[in-house]
Coordinates of all heavy atoms in Angstrom, one line a residue:
M1103 N 9.0 -43.1 3.8 CA 8.9 -41.8 3.4 C 7.5 -41.5 2.9 O 7.0 -42.3 2.1 CB 10.0 -41.5 2.4 CG 10.0 -40.1 1.9 SD 11.3 -39.8 0.7 CE 12.3 -38.8 1.7
N1104 N 7.0 -40.4 3.2 CA 5.6 -40.0 2.7 C 5.7 -39.4 1.3 O 6.6 -38.6 1.0 CB 5.0 -39.0 3.6 CG 4.7 -39.6 5.0 OD1 4.5 -40.8 5.1 ND2 4.7 -38.7 6.0
P1105 N 4.7 -39.7 0.5 CA 4.7 -39.1 -0.9 C 4.4 -37.6 -0.7 O 3.8 -37.1 0.2 CB 3.6 -39.8 -1.6 CG 2.7 -40.4 -0.5 CD 3.6 -40.6 0.7
P1106 N 4.8 -36.8 -1.7 CA 4.6 -35.4 -1.7 C 3.1 -35.1 -1.8 O 2.3 -35.8 -2.5 CB 5.3 -34.8 -2.8 CG 5.6 -35.9 -3.7 CD 5.6 -37.2 -2.9
D1107 N 2.6 -34.1 -1.1 CA 1.2 -33.7 -1.1 C 0.9 -32.9 -2.4 O 1.5 -31.9 -2.7 CB 0.9 -32.8 0.1 CG -0.6 -32.5 0.2 OD1 -1.4 -33.2 -0.5 OD2 -0.9 -31.6 1.0
T1108 N 0.1 -33.5 -3.2 CA -0.3 -32.9 -4.5 C -1.7 -32.4 -4.6 O -2.3 -32.2 -5.6 CB -0.1 -33.9 -5.7 OG1 -0.9 -35.1 -5.4 CG2 1.4 -34.3 -5.8
S1109 N -2.3 -32.2 -3.4 CA -3.7 -31.8 -3.3 C -3.8 -30.3 -3.8 O -2.8 -29.6 -3.7 CB -4.3 -31.9 -2.0 OG -3.6 -31.1 -1.0
P1110 N -4.9 -29.9 -4.2 CA -5.1 -28.4 -4.6 C -4.8 -27.5 -3.5 O -4.3 -26.4 -3.7 CB -6.5 -28.3 -5.1 CG -6.9 -29.7 -5.4 CD -6.1 -30.6 -4.5
T1111 N -5.1 -27.9 -2.2 CA -4.9 -27.0 -1.1 C -3.5 -26.7 -0.8 O -3.1 -25.7 -0.3 CB -5.6 -27.5 0.1 OG1 -5.2 -28.8 0.5 CG2 -7.1 -27.5 -0.1
S1112 N -2.6 -27.7 -1.1 CA -1.2 -27.5 -0.9 C -0.6 -26.5 -1.9 O 0.3 -25.8 -1.5 CB -0.4 -28.8 -0.9 OG -0.2 -29.3 -2.2
A1113 N -1.1 -26.5 -3.1 CA -0.7 -25.5 -4.1 C -1.1 -24.1 -3.7 O -0.4 -23.2 -3.9 CB -1.2 -25.9 -5.4
L1114 N -2.3 -24.0 -3.1 CA -2.8 -22.7 -2.7 C -2.0 -22.2 -1.5 O -1.9 -21.0 -1.3 CB -4.3 -22.8 -2.2 CG -5.3 -22.9 -3.4 CD1 -6.7 -23.0 -2.8 CD2 -5.2 -21.7 -4.3
R1115 N -1.4 -23.0 -0.7 CA -0.6 -22.6 0.4 C 0.7 -21.8 -0.1 O 1.3 -21.0 0.6 CB -0.1 -23.8 1.3 CG -1.2 -24.3 2.1 CD -0.8 -25.4 3.0 NE -1.9 -26.1 3.6 CZ -2.0 -27.4 3.8 NH1 -1.0 -28.1 3.5 NH2 -3.1 -27.9 4.3
W1116 N 1.1 -22.1 -1.3 CA 2.2 -21.4 -1.9 C 1.8 -20.3 -2.8 O 2.5 -19.3 -2.8 CB 3.1 -22.4 -2.7 CG 3.8 -23.4 -1.9 CD1 3.4 -24.7 -1.6 CD2 5.0 -23.2 -1.2 NE1 4.3 -25.3 -0.8 CE2 5.3 -24.4 -0.5 CE3 5.9 -22.1 -1.1 CZ2 6.4 -24.5 0.3 CZ3 7.0 -22.3 -0.3 CH2 7.3 -23.5 0.4
V1117 N 0.7 -20.5 -3.5 CA 0.3 -19.5 -4.5 C -0.3 -18.2 -3.8 O 0.0 -17.1 -4.2 CB -0.7 -20.1 -5.5 CG1 -1.3 -19.0 -6.4 CG2 0.0 -21.1 -6.3
V1118 N -1.1 -18.4 -2.8 CA -1.8 -17.3 -2.2 C -0.8 -16.3 -1.6 O -0.9 -15.1 -1.8 CB -2.8 -17.7 -1.2 CG1 -3.4 -16.6 -0.3 CG2 -4.0 -18.4 -1.9
P1119 N 0.2 -16.7 -0.7 CA 1.1 -15.7 -0.2 C 2.0 -15.1 -1.3 O 2.3 -13.9 -1.2 CB 2.0 -16.5 0.7 CG 1.2 -17.7 1.1 CD 0.4 -18.0 -0.1
L1120 N 2.4 -15.8 -2.3 CA 3.1 -15.2 -3.4 C 2.3 -14.2 -4.2 O 2.8 -13.1 -4.5 CB 3.6 -16.3 -4.4 CG 4.7 -17.2 -3.8 CD1 5.0 -18.3 -4.8 CD2 6.0 -16.4 -3.5
A1121 N 1.1 -14.5 -4.5 CA 0.2 -13.5 -5.2 C -0.1 -12.3 -4.3 O 0.0 -11.2 -4.8 CB -1.1 -14.2 -5.6
A1122 N -0.4 -12.6 -3.0 CA -0.6 -11.5 -2.1 C 0.6 -10.6 -2.0 O 0.5 -9.4 -1.9 CB -1.1 -12.0 -0.8
G1123 N 1.8 -11.2 -1.9 CA 3.0 -10.4 -1.8 C 3.2 -9.6 -3.1 O 3.7 -8.4 -3.0
A1124 N 3.0 -10.1 -4.2 CA 3.1 -9.4 -5.5 C 2.2 -8.2 -5.5 O 2.5 -7.1 -5.8 CB 3.0 -10.3 -6.7
V1125 N 0.9 -8.5 -5.2 CA -0.1 -7.4 -5.2 C 0.2 -6.4 -4.2 O 0.1 -5.2 -4.4 CB -1.5 -8.0 -5.1 CG1 -2.6 -6.9 -4.8 CG2 -1.9 -8.8 -6.3
G1126 N 0.5 -6.8 -3.0 CA 0.8 -5.9 -1.9 C 2.0 -5.0 -2.2 O 2.1 -3.8 -1.9
A1127 N 3.1 -5.7 -2.7 CA 4.3 -4.9 -3.1 C 4.0 -3.9 -4.2 O 4.5 -2.7 -4.1 CB 5.4 -5.8 -3.5
A1128 N 3.3 -4.3 -5.2 CA 2.9 -3.3 -6.3 C 2.1 -2.2 -5.8 O 2.4 -1.0 -6.0 CB 2.2 -4.1 -7.4
A1129 N 1.1 -2.5 -4.9 CA 0.2 -1.4 -4.4 C 1.0 -0.6 -3.4 O 0.8 0.7 -3.4 CB -1.0 -2.0 -3.7
G1130 N 1.9 -1.2 -2.7 CA 2.7 -0.4 -1.7 C 3.7 0.5 -2.5 O 3.9 1.7 -2.0
L1131 N 4.2 0.1 -3.6 CA 5.1 1.0 -4.4 C 4.3 2.1 -5.0 O 4.7 3.3 -5.0 CB 5.8 0.2 -5.5 CG 6.9 -0.8 -5.0 CD1 7.4 -1.6 -6.1 CD2 8.0 0.0 -4.3
V1132 N 3.1 1.9 -5.4 CA 2.2 2.9 -5.9 C 1.9 3.9 -4.8 O 1.9 5.1 -5.0 CB 0.9 2.4 -6.5 CG1 -0.1 3.4 -6.8 CG2 1.2 1.6 -7.8
W1133 N 1.6 3.4 -3.6 CA 1.3 4.2 -2.5 C 2.5 5.1 -2.1 O 2.4 6.3 -1.9 CB 0.9 3.4 -1.3 CG 0.5 4.2 -0.1 CD1 -0.6 4.9 0.1 CD2 1.3 4.4 1.1 NE1 -0.6 5.5 1.3 CE2 0.6 5.2 1.9 CE3 2.6 3.9 1.5 CZ2 1.1 5.6 3.2 CZ3 3.1 4.3 2.7 CH2 2.3 5.1 3.5
L1134 N 3.7 4.5 -2.1 CA 4.9 5.3 -1.8 C 5.1 6.4 -2.9 O 5.6 7.5 -2.6 CB 6.1 4.4 -1.7 CG 6.2 3.5 -0.4 CD1 7.4 2.6 -0.5 CD2 6.4 4.4 0.8
R1135 N 4.9 6.0 -4.1 CA 5.0 7.0 -5.2 C 4.0 8.2 -5.0 O 4.3 9.3 -5.2 CB 4.7 6.4 -6.5 CG 4.8 7.3 -7.7 CD 6.1 7.9 -7.9 NE 6.1 8.7 -9.1 CZ 6.9 9.6 -9.4 NH1 8.0 9.9 -8.6 NH2 6.8 10.3 -10.5
C1136 N 2.8 7.9 -4.5 CA 1.8 8.9 -4.2 C 2.3 9.8 -3.0 O 2.1 11.0 -3.1 CB 0.5 8.3 -3.8 SG -0.4 7.5 -5.2
V1137 N 2.9 9.2 -2.0 CA 3.4 9.9 -0.9 C 4.5 10.9 -1.4 O 4.5 12.1 -1.1 CB 4.0 9.0 0.2 CG1 4.8 9.8 1.2 CG2 2.9 8.2 0.8
Y1138 N 5.4 10.4 -2.3 CA 6.4 11.2 -2.9 C 5.8 12.4 -3.7 O 6.3 13.5 -3.6 CB 7.4 10.4 -3.7 CG 8.3 11.2 -4.5 CD1 9.4 11.8 -3.9 CD2 8.1 11.4 -5.9 CE1 10.3 12.6 -4.7 CE2 9.0 12.2 -6.6 CZ 10.0 12.8 -6.0 OH 10.9 13.6 -6.7
L1139 N 4.8 12.0 -4.5 CA 4.2 13.1 -5.3 C 3.6 14.2 -4.5 O 3.9 15.4 -4.8 CB 3.1 12.5 -6.2 CG 3.5 11.9 -7.5 CD1 2.3 11.2 -8.2 CD2 4.0 12.9 -8.5
V1140 N 2.9 13.8 -3.5 CA 2.2 14.8 -2.7 C 3.3 15.7 -1.9 O 3.2 16.9 -1.9 CB 1.2 14.2 -1.7 CG1 0.7 15.2 -0.7 CG2 0.1 13.6 -2.4
L1141 N 4.3 15.0 -1.3 CA 5.3 15.8 -0.6 C 6.1 16.7 -1.5 O 6.4 17.8 -1.2 CB 6.2 14.8 0.2 CG 5.5 14.1 1.4 CD1 6.5 13.2 2.0 CD2 5.0 15.2 2.3
A1142 N 6.5 16.1 -2.7 CA 7.3 16.9 -3.6 C 6.5 18.1 -4.2 O 7.1 19.2 -4.2 CB 7.8 16.0 -4.8
F1143 N 5.3 17.9 -4.6 CA 4.5 19.0 -5.1 C 4.1 20.0 -4.1 O 3.8 21.1 -4.4 CB 3.4 18.5 -6.0 CG 3.8 17.9 -7.3 CD1 3.9 16.5 -7.4 CD2 4.1 18.7 -8.3 CE1 4.3 15.9 -8.6 CE2 4.5 18.1 -9.6 CZ 4.6 16.7 -9.7
R1144 N 4.0 19.5 -2.8 CA 3.5 20.4 -1.8 C 4.7 21.3 -1.3 O 4.5 22.4 -0.9 CB 3.0 19.5 -0.6 CG 2.5 20.3 0.6 CD 1.3 21.2 0.2 NE 0.7 21.8 1.4 CZ 0.9 23.0 1.8 NH1 1.7 23.8 1.1 NH2 0.3 23.5 2.8
L1145 N 5.9 20.7 -1.2 CA 7.0 21.5 -0.7 C 7.8 22.3 -1.7 O 8.6 23.1 -1.3 CB 8.0 20.5 0.0 CG 7.4 19.7 1.2 CD1 8.4 18.7 1.7 CD2 6.9 20.6 2.3
V1146 N 7.5 22.2 -3.0 CA 8.2 23.0 -4.0 C 7.7 24.4 -4.0 O 6.5 24.6 -3.9 CB 8.1 22.3 -5.4 CG1 8.6 23.2 -6.4 CG2 8.8 21.0 -5.4
T1147 N 8.6 25.4 -4.0 CA 8.1 26.8 -3.9 C 8.0 27.4 -5.3 O 7.5 28.5 -5.4 CB 9.1 27.6 -3.0 OG1 10.4 27.5 -3.6 CG2 9.0 27.1 -1.6
D1148 N 8.5 26.7 -6.3 CA 8.5 27.3 -7.7 C 7.1 27.1 -8.2 O 6.6 25.9 -8.4 CB 9.5 26.6 -8.5 CG 9.5 27.1 -10.0 OD1 9.0 28.2 -10.2 OD2 10.1 26.4 -10.8
P1149 N 6.3 28.1 -8.5 CA 5.0 28.0 -9.1 C 5.0 27.4 -10.5 O 4.0 26.8 -10.9 CB 4.4 29.4 -9.1 CG 5.6 30.3 -9.0 CD 6.7 29.5 -8.4
G1150 N 6.1 27.4 -11.2 CA 6.1 26.8 -12.5 C 6.4 25.3 -12.5 O 6.3 24.7 -13.5
F1151 N 6.7 24.8 -11.4 CA 7.0 23.3 -11.3 C 5.7 22.5 -11.5 O 5.7 21.5 -12.3 CB 7.5 23.0 -9.9 CG 8.0 21.6 -9.7 CD1 9.1 21.2 -10.3 CD2 7.3 20.7 -9.0 CE1 9.6 19.9 -10.2 CE2 7.7 19.4 -8.8 CZ 8.8 19.0 -9.4
D1152 N 4.6 22.9 -10.9 CA 3.3 22.2 -11.2 C 2.2 23.3 -11.0 O 1.6 23.4 -10.0 CB 3.1 21.1 -10.2 CG 1.8 20.3 -10.4 OD1 1.4 20.3 -11.5 OD2 1.3 19.8 -9.4
P1153 N 2.0 24.1 -12.1 CA 1.1 25.3 -11.9 C -0.3 24.9 -11.7 O -1.0 25.7 -11.1 CB 1.3 26.0 -13.3 CG 1.8 25.0 -14.2 CD 2.6 24.0 -13.4
H1154 N -0.8 23.7 -12.1 CA -2.2 23.4 -12.0 C -2.4 22.5 -10.8 O -3.6 22.3 -10.4 CB -2.7 22.7 -13.2 CG -2.5 23.6 -14.4 ND1 -3.2 24.8 -14.6 CD2 -1.7 23.4 -15.5 CE1 -2.8 25.3 -15.8 NE2 -1.9 24.5 -16.3
G1155 N -1.4 21.9 -10.2 CA -1.5 21.0 -9.0 C -2.0 19.6 -9.4 O -2.5 18.9 -8.5
Y1156 N -1.7 19.2 -10.6 CA -2.2 17.9 -11.0 C -1.4 16.8 -10.2 O -2.0 15.7 -9.9 CB -2.0 17.6 -12.5 CG -2.9 18.4 -13.3 CD1 -2.5 19.0 -14.5 CD2 -4.2 18.7 -12.9 CE1 -3.3 19.8 -15.3 CE2 -5.1 19.4 -13.7 CZ -4.6 20.0 -14.9 OH -5.4 20.7 -15.7
G1157 N -0.2 17.0 -9.9 CA 0.6 16.0 -9.2 C 0.1 15.8 -7.8 O 0.0 14.7 -7.2
L1158 N -0.2 17.0 -7.1 CA -0.8 17.0 -5.8 C -2.1 16.3 -5.7 O -2.4 15.5 -4.9 CB -0.9 18.4 -5.3 CG -1.3 18.6 -3.8 CD1 -0.3 18.0 -2.9 CD2 -1.5 20.1 -3.6
V1159 N -3.0 16.6 -6.7 CA -4.3 16.0 -6.7 C -4.3 14.5 -7.0 O -4.9 13.7 -6.3 CB -5.2 16.7 -7.8 CG1 -6.5 16.0 -8.0 CG2 -5.5 18.2 -7.4
A1160 N -3.5 14.1 -8.0 CA -3.4 12.7 -8.4 C -2.8 11.9 -7.3 O -3.3 10.8 -7.0 CB -2.6 12.6 -9.7
G1161 N -1.7 12.4 -6.7 CA -1.1 11.7 -5.6 C -2.0 11.5 -4.4 O -2.1 10.4 -3.8
T1162 N -2.8 12.5 -4.1 CA -3.7 12.4 -3.0 C -4.8 11.4 -3.2 O -5.2 10.6 -2.4 CB -4.3 13.8 -2.6 OG1 -3.2 14.7 -2.4 CG2 -5.1 13.8 -1.4
V1163 N -5.4 11.6 -4.4 CA -6.6 10.7 -4.7 C -6.2 9.2 -4.9 O -6.9 8.3 -4.4 CB -7.3 11.3 -6.0 CG1 -8.4 10.3 -6.4 CG2 -7.9 12.6 -5.7
L1164 N -5.1 9.0 -5.6 CA -4.6 7.6 -5.8 C -4.1 7.0 -4.5 O -3.9 5.7 -4.5 CB -3.6 7.6 -6.9 CG -4.1 7.8 -8.3 CD1 -3.0 7.8 -9.3 CD2 -5.2 6.8 -8.7
S1165 N -3.7 7.8 -3.5 CA -3.2 7.2 -2.3 C -4.2 6.4 -1.5 O -3.9 5.4 -0.9 CB -2.6 8.3 -1.4 OG -3.6 9.1 -0.9
V1166 N -5.5 6.7 -1.7 CA -6.5 6.0 -0.9 C -6.7 4.6 -1.4 O -6.6 3.6 -0.6 CB -7.8 6.8 -0.9 CG1 -8.9 6.0 -0.3 CG2 -7.7 8.1 -0.2
P1167 N -6.9 4.3 -2.7 CA -7.1 2.9 -3.1 C -5.8 2.1 -3.0 O -5.8 0.9 -2.7 CB -7.5 3.0 -4.6 CG -7.3 4.4 -5.0 CD -7.2 5.2 -3.8
A1168 N -4.6 2.8 -3.2 CA -3.4 2.1 -3.1 C -3.1 1.6 -1.6 O -2.7 0.5 -1.4 CB -2.2 3.0 -3.6
A1169 N -3.5 2.5 -0.7 CA -3.4 2.1 0.7 C -4.3 1.0 1.1 O -4.0 0.1 1.8 CB -3.6 3.4 1.6
L1170 N -5.5 1.1 0.5 CA -6.5 0.1 0.8 C -6.1 -1.3 0.3 O -6.1 -2.3 1.0 CB -7.9 0.4 0.2 CG -9.0 -0.5 0.4 CD1 -9.4 -0.7 1.8 CD2 -10.2 -0.1 -0.5
V1171 N -5.6 -1.4 -0.9 CA -5.1 -2.6 -1.5 C -3.9 -3.1 -0.7 O -3.8 -4.4 -0.4 CB -4.8 -2.5 -3.0 CG1 -4.1 -3.7 -3.5 CG2 -6.1 -2.2 -3.8
T1172 N -3.0 -2.3 -0.3 CA -1.9 -2.7 0.4 C -2.3 -3.2 1.8 O -1.8 -4.3 2.2 CB -0.9 -1.5 0.6 OG1 -0.6 -1.0 -0.6 CG2 0.3 -1.9 1.4
A1173 N -3.2 -2.5 2.5 CA -3.6 -3.0 3.8 C -4.3 -4.3 3.7 O -4.3 -5.1 4.7 CB -4.5 -1.9 4.4
V1174 N -5.0 -4.6 2.6 CA -5.8 -5.9 2.5 C -4.8 -7.0 2.1 O -4.9 -8.1 2.6 CB -6.9 -5.7 1.5 CG1 -7.5 -7.1 1.2 CG2 -8.0 -4.8 2.1
A1175 N -3.9 -6.7 1.2 CA -3.0 -7.8 0.7 C -1.9 -8.2 1.5 O -1.5 -9.4 1.6 CB -2.5 -7.4 -0.7
V1176 N -1.2 -7.3 2.2 CA 0.0 -7.6 3.0 C -0.2 -8.6 4.1 O 0.6 -9.5 4.2 CB 0.6 -6.3 3.5 CG1 1.7 -6.5 4.6 CG2 1.2 -5.5 2.4
P1177 N -1.3 -8.6 4.8 CA -1.4 -9.6 5.9 C -1.4 -11.1 5.3 O -1.0 -12.0 6.0 CB -2.7 -9.3 6.6 CG -2.9 -7.8 6.4 CD -2.3 -7.6 5.0
F1178 N -1.9 -11.3 4.1 CA -2.0 -12.6 3.5 C -0.6 -13.2 3.2 O -0.5 -14.4 2.8 CB -2.9 -12.6 2.3 CG -4.4 -12.5 2.7 CD1 -5.0 -11.4 2.6 CD2 -5.0 -13.6 3.3 CE1 -6.4 -11.3 3.0 CE2 -6.3 -13.6 3.6 CZ -7.0 -12.4 3.5
V1179 N 0.4 -12.4 3.2 CA 1.8 -12.9 2.9 C 2.3 -13.7 4.1 O 3.0 -14.6 4.0 CB 2.7 -11.7 2.6 CG1 4.1 -12.1 2.5 CG2 2.2 -10.9 1.4
F1180 N 1.8 -13.3 5.3 CA 2.3 -14.0 6.5 C 1.5 -15.2 6.9 O 0.4 -15.4 6.4 CB 2.3 -12.9 7.7 CG 3.2 -11.8 7.4 CD1 2.8 -10.6 6.8 CD2 4.5 -11.8 7.8 CE1 3.6 -9.6 6.5 CE2 5.4 -10.8 7.5 CZ 4.9 -9.7 6.9
A1181 N 2.0 -15.9 7.9 CA 1.3 -17.1 8.3 C 0.0 -16.7 9.0 O -0.2 -15.6 9.4 CB 2.2 -17.9 9.3
R1182 N -0.9 -17.7 9.0 CA -2.3 -17.4 9.5 C -2.3 -16.8 10.9 O -3.1 -15.9 11.2 CB -3.1 -18.7 9.5 CG -4.6 -18.5 9.8 CD -5.3 -19.8 9.7 NE -5.3 -20.3 8.4 CZ -6.2 -20.1 7.5 NH1 -7.3 -19.4 7.8 NH2 -6.1 -20.7 6.3
H1183 N -1.4 -17.3 11.8 CA -1.4 -16.8 13.2 C -0.8 -15.4 13.3 O -0.9 -14.8 14.4 CB -0.8 -17.8 14.1 CG 0.7 -18.0 13.8 ND1 1.2 -18.8 12.8 CD2 1.8 -17.4 14.4 CE1 2.5 -18.7 12.8 NE2 2.9 -17.9 13.8
Q1184 N -0.1 -14.9 12.3 CA 0.5 -13.6 12.4 C -0.3 -12.5 11.6 O 0.0 -11.3 11.7 CB 1.9 -13.6 11.8 CG 2.8 -14.5 12.6 CD 4.2 -14.6 11.9 OE1 4.3 -14.4 10.7 NE2 5.2 -14.9 12.6
R1185 N -1.3 -12.9 10.9 CA -2.1 -12.0 10.0 C -2.7 -10.9 10.8 O -2.7 -9.7 10.4 CB -3.1 -12.7 9.2 CG -2.5 -13.5 8.1 CD -3.5 -14.2 7.3 NE -2.8 -15.2 6.4 CZ -3.4 -16.2 5.8 NH1 -4.7 -16.4 6.0 NH2 -2.8 -17.0 5.0
A1186 N -3.3 -11.2 11.9 CA -4.0 -10.1 12.7 C -3.1 -9.1 13.2 O -3.3 -7.9 13.2 CB -4.8 -10.8 13.9
R1187 N -1.9 -9.6 13.7 CA -0.9 -8.6 14.2 C -0.4 -7.7 13.1 O -0.2 -6.5 13.3 CB 0.2 -9.4 14.9 CG 1.2 -8.4 15.5 CD 2.3 -9.2 16.3 NE 2.9 -10.1 15.4 CZ 3.9 -10.9 15.7 NH1 4.4 -10.8 16.9 NH2 4.4 -11.7 14.9
V1188 N -0.1 -8.3 11.9 CA 0.4 -7.5 10.8 C -0.7 -6.5 10.4 O -0.4 -5.3 10.1 CB 0.8 -8.5 9.6 CG1 1.1 -7.7 8.4 CG2 2.0 -9.3 10.0
A1189 N -1.9 -6.9 10.4 CA -3.0 -6.0 10.0 C -3.2 -4.9 11.0 O -3.4 -3.7 10.6 CB -4.3 -6.7 9.8
R1190 N -3.0 -5.2 12.3 CA -3.1 -4.2 13.3 C -2.0 -3.2 13.2 O -2.1 -2.0 13.7 CB -3.1 -4.8 14.7 CG -4.4 -5.3 15.2 CD -4.4 -5.7 16.7 NE -3.2 -6.4 17.1 CZ -3.2 -7.8 17.3 NH1 -4.3 -8.4 17.1 NH2 -2.1 -8.4 17.7
I1191 N -0.8 -3.5 12.6 CA 0.3 -2.6 12.5 C 0.2 -1.8 11.2 O 0.3 -0.6 11.2 CB 1.6 -3.4 12.6 CG1 1.8 -3.9 14.0 CG2 2.8 -2.5 12.2 CD1 3.0 -4.9 14.1
T1192 N 0.0 -2.5 10.1 CA 0.0 -1.8 8.8 C -1.2 -0.9 8.5 O -1.0 0.2 8.0 CB 0.1 -2.9 7.6 OG1 -1.0 -3.7 7.7 CG2 1.4 -3.6 7.7
T1193 N -2.4 -1.3 8.9 CA -3.6 -0.6 8.6 C -3.5 0.8 9.3 O -3.8 1.8 8.6 CB -4.8 -1.3 9.0 OG1 -4.8 -2.6 8.3 CG2 -6.1 -0.6 8.6
P1194 N -3.3 1.0 10.6 CA -3.2 2.3 11.1 C -2.1 3.2 10.6 O -2.3 4.4 10.4 CB -3.0 2.1 12.6 CG -3.4 0.7 12.9 CD -3.2 -0.1 11.6
V1195 N -1.0 2.6 10.2 CA 0.1 3.4 9.6 C -0.3 3.9 8.3 O -0.1 5.1 8.0 CB 1.4 2.5 9.5 CG1 2.4 3.2 8.6 CG2 2.0 2.2 10.9
L1196 N -0.9 3.0 7.4 CA -1.4 3.5 6.1 C -2.5 4.5 6.3 O -2.5 5.5 5.5 CB -1.9 2.3 5.3 CG -0.8 1.3 4.9 CD1 -1.4 0.1 4.3 CD2 0.1 2.0 3.8
I1197 N -3.4 4.4 7.2 CA -4.5 5.3 7.4 C -3.9 6.7 7.9 O -4.3 7.7 7.4 CB -5.5 4.8 8.4 CG1 -6.3 3.7 7.8 CG2 -6.5 5.9 8.9 CD1 -7.2 3.0 8.7
A1198 N -3.0 6.6 8.8 CA -2.4 7.9 9.3 C -1.7 8.7 8.3 O -1.8 9.9 8.1 CB -1.5 7.6 10.5
V1199 N -0.8 8.0 7.5 CA 0.0 8.7 6.5 C -0.9 9.2 5.4 O -0.8 10.3 4.9 CB 1.1 7.8 5.9 CG1 1.8 8.4 4.8 CG2 2.1 7.4 7.1
T1200 N -2.0 8.4 5.0 CA -2.9 8.9 4.0 C -3.7 10.1 4.5 O -4.0 11.0 3.7 CB -3.8 7.7 3.6 OG1 -3.0 6.6 3.1 CG2 -4.8 8.1 2.4
A1201 N -4.1 10.1 5.7 CA -4.7 11.2 6.3 C -3.8 12.5 6.3 O -4.3 13.6 6.0 CB -5.2 10.9 7.7
L1202 N -2.6 12.3 6.5 CA -1.6 13.4 6.4 C -1.5 13.9 5.0 O -1.3 15.1 4.8 CB -0.2 13.0 7.0 CG -0.2 12.8 8.5 CD1 1.2 12.2 8.9 CD2 -0.4 14.1 9.2
L1203 N -1.5 13.0 4.0 CA -1.5 13.4 2.6 C -2.7 14.3 2.3 O -2.6 15.3 1.6 CB -1.4 12.2 1.7 CG -0.2 11.3 1.8 CD1 -0.3 10.2 0.8 CD2 1.0 12.2 1.4
W1204 N -3.9 13.8 2.8 CA -5.1 14.6 2.5 C -5.0 16.0 3.2 O -5.5 17.0 2.7 CB -6.3 13.9 3.0 CG -6.8 12.9 1.9 CD1 -6.4 11.6 1.8 CD2 -7.6 13.2 0.8 NE1 -7.0 11.1 0.7 CE2 -7.8 12.0 0.1 CE3 -8.3 14.3 0.4 CZ2 -8.5 12.0 -1.1 CZ3 -9.1 14.3 -0.7 CH2 -9.2 13.1 -1.4
A1205 N -4.4 16.0 4.4 CA -4.2 17.3 5.1 C -3.3 18.2 4.3 O -3.5 19.4 4.2 CB -3.7 17.1 6.5
A1206 N -2.2 17.6 3.7 CA -1.3 18.4 2.9 C -2.0 18.9 1.6 O -1.8 20.0 1.2 CB -0.1 17.6 2.5
F1207 N -2.9 18.1 1.1 CA -3.7 18.5 -0.1 C -4.7 19.6 0.2 O -4.8 20.6 -0.5 CB -4.4 17.3 -0.6 CG -5.4 17.6 -1.7 CD1 -5.0 18.1 -2.9 CD2 -6.8 17.4 -1.5 CE1 -5.9 18.4 -3.9 CE2 -7.7 17.7 -2.5 CZ -7.2 18.2 -3.7
L1208 N -5.4 19.5 1.4 CA -6.4 20.5 1.7 C -5.8 21.8 2.2 O -6.5 22.8 2.1 CB -7.3 19.9 2.7 CG -8.2 18.7 2.3 CD1 -9.0 18.1 3.4 CD2 -9.1 19.1 1.1
T1209 N -4.6 21.8 2.6 CA -4.0 23.0 3.1 C -3.1 23.7 2.0 O -2.5 24.7 2.3 CB -3.1 22.8 4.3 OG1 -2.1 21.9 4.0 CG2 -4.0 22.3 5.5
A1210 N -3.1 23.1 0.8 CA -2.2 23.6 -0.2 C -2.8 24.9 -0.8 O -4.0 25.1 -0.9 CB -2.0 22.6 -1.3

């Protein structure tokens, strides 16, 4: 039987995906909250709900860095041979939805 691998690189094989998953999940939740803020404040017809539009502005502006961190962190959760495919799927989706948020902001 082989002894367990105690090299520093074997520890990184476990730590990097876990840390990337935590960062990606946190940034993804922030991004989803931004999506909710923009849609909620954009679709409400009551002017007293958000008279100054701070929710719409904050959600739109914060969606960009949250989407960027999510797009960078999420591929590192997966195995090395799957990272390019995951990045090709997640990045355009995040860019498209964030662009729609900016369109909703600019047409408000």
Side-chain angles (χ1 to χ4, degrees):
M1103 179 180 251
N1104 293 333
D1107 188 11
T1108 58
S1109 67
T1111 57
S1112 77
L1114 285 177
R1115 288 185 192 141
W1116 290 97
V1117 171
V1118 169
L1120 290 175
V1125 169
L1131 289 174
V1132 169
W1133 182 76
L1134 286 174
R1135 177 66 176 160
C1136 291
V1137 170
Y1138 170 75
L1139 274 175
V1140 172
L1141 291 178
F1143 287 100
R1144 179 67 171 98
L1145 298 176
V1146 170
T1147 57
D1148 180 19
F1151 186 73
D1152 184 26
H1154 303 294
Y1156 292 141
L1158 186 64
V1159 172
T1162 304
V1163 172
L1164 289 177
S1165 69
V1166 174
L1170 178 65
V1171 171
T1172 304
V1174 169
V1176 166
F1178 285 102
V1179 175
F1180 296 92
R1182 186 177 299 265
H1183 66 279
Q1184 295 175 337
R1185 288 180 188 161
R1187 184 176 55 175
V1188 171
R1190 278 194 312 261
I1191 294 169
T1192 58
T1193 303
V1195 169
L1196 291 168
I1197 289 172
V1199 175
T1200 303
L1202 289 174
L1203 293 179
W1204 277 90
F1207 170 67
L1208 294 174
T1209 60

